[in-house]
Amino acid sequence: MSRYCEYCGKAKKACICHWIENITATTEIWILQHPSEIKRAIGTARILSLSLPNSRLWVGEDFSDNDELNSLLADPERDVYVVYPGEGSVPISSVAATANKQRLQTVILLDGTWKKAYKMWLLATNLHHLPLVNLDNADSGNYRIRKSSKEQGVSTVEAGYLALSAFEADGDKFVPLLATFNHMIDFQIKHMPLGVFEKNYLGERGKK
């Protein structure tokens, strides 16, 4: 018998399924997940894929020859954006403000560390013609138990929440994504050995 939940992929004692809320979105979220993230206890991509019926999740490192992805990218009725703060990226708020709501609006998230996401981006040449967007609506993320080298580094679920909030008028309906995320993080902190969180993650920001 597997010790992992067949739905969320977490260890059964850390299952997040009971916190998941089904949310209807008109904007699509596609997640390209690095294989190293699949069994990561603090991974957040599954919160999005379980909560959003129209989301999609693919696992891999090089998606350039992914037939399903390429078929969807070829849909002439869909506008697709990649969340990646690279050269030439534009604020997601400005893109969302001018988006044609009569067309399918799709946002791609790269789920991995900054280093792995960078490699995924380099390899996925089928994405290079797509517009890049940056999350100008983001404050510093609340990913309290995963260090980021970026000042405004956010988790995948936070990135999804910010993207959806930018594209859809009723941003409040996506708050359950963050609620599930916070429940998951609180559970992980609670089960850390005494002093580990304070020593390794709290830092100066957490002491304020």
Side-chain angles (χ1 to χ4, degrees):
M1 181 180 294
S2 174
R3 66 186 185 92
Y4 293 98
C5 172
E6 62 180 306
Y7 298 107
C8 69
K10 306 290 185 184
K12 289 182 176 178
K13 66 177 182 180
C15 175
I16 63 173
C17 292
H18 54 294
W19 292 316
I20 295 292
E21 290 190 33
N22 195 65
I23 305 172
T24 300
T26 57
T27 307
E28 297 177 316
I29 296 292
W30 294 354
I31 306 158
L32 306 185
Q33 183 178 61
H34 192 277
S36 64
E37 296 292 320
I38 296 175
K39 296 297 184 181
R40 192 180 290 275
I42 57 176
T44 68
R46 290 294 286 166
I47 297 176
L48 290 170
S49 64
L50 290 173
S51 301
L52 304 167
N54 67 341
S55 64
R56 294 175 182 268
L57 187 151
W58 293 277
V59 178
E61 189 173 51
D62 182 357
F63 296 90
S64 54
D65 294 322
N66 185 297
D67 291 338
E68 183 182 21
L69 176 60
N70 285 329
S71 177
L72 290 167
L73 288 173
D75 183 354
E77 299 302 317
R78 175 183 280 112
D79 295 326
V80 186
Y81 313 91
V82 181
V83 174
Y84 192 78
E87 183 178 353
S89 67
V90 297
I92 195 169
S93 60
S94 63
V95 170
T98 58
N100 184 347
K101 300 303 171 62
Q102 302 305 311
R103 295 168 56 81
L104 287 171
Q105 301 297 316
T106 301
V107 177
I108 294 179
L109 306 176
L110 304 180
D111 182 45
T113 62
W114 282 103
K115 184 177 181 180
K116 289 171 181 173
Y118 175 67
K119 185 175 182 181
M120 291 163 67
W121 166 247
L122 289 180
L123 293 172
T125 54
N126 54 337
L127 305 183
H128 290 180
H129 69 287
L130 300 173
L132 299 181
V133 296
N134 58 71
L135 299 172
D136 63 316
N137 57 343
D139 294 320
S140 295
N142 194 36
Y143 213 167
R144 291 165 285 161
I145 56 174
R146 188 169 188 174
K147 298 176 181 179
S148 172
S149 59
K150 304 294 183 180
E151 178 66 24
Q152 293 190 330
V154 296
S155 65
T156 299
V157 70
E158 288 176 304
Y161 165 80
L162 292 166
L164 291 168
S165 297
F167 274 91
E168 302 195 18
D170 185 13
D172 288 345
K173 71 178 180 180
F174 302 112
V175 170
L177 294 172
L178 300 184
T180 301
F181 168 64
N182 283 314
H183 282 308
M184 185 194 78
I185 297 301
D186 287 340
F187 175 88
Q188 294 294 333
I189 291 173
K190 181 179 178 180
H191 288 81
M192 285 181 178
L194 186 65
V196 169
F197 173 65
E198 291 79 2
K199 178 180 178 181
N200 296 306
Y201 300 99
L202 195 56
E204 293 304 316
R205 176 183 166 192
K207 293 175 183 176
K208 293 179 181 179

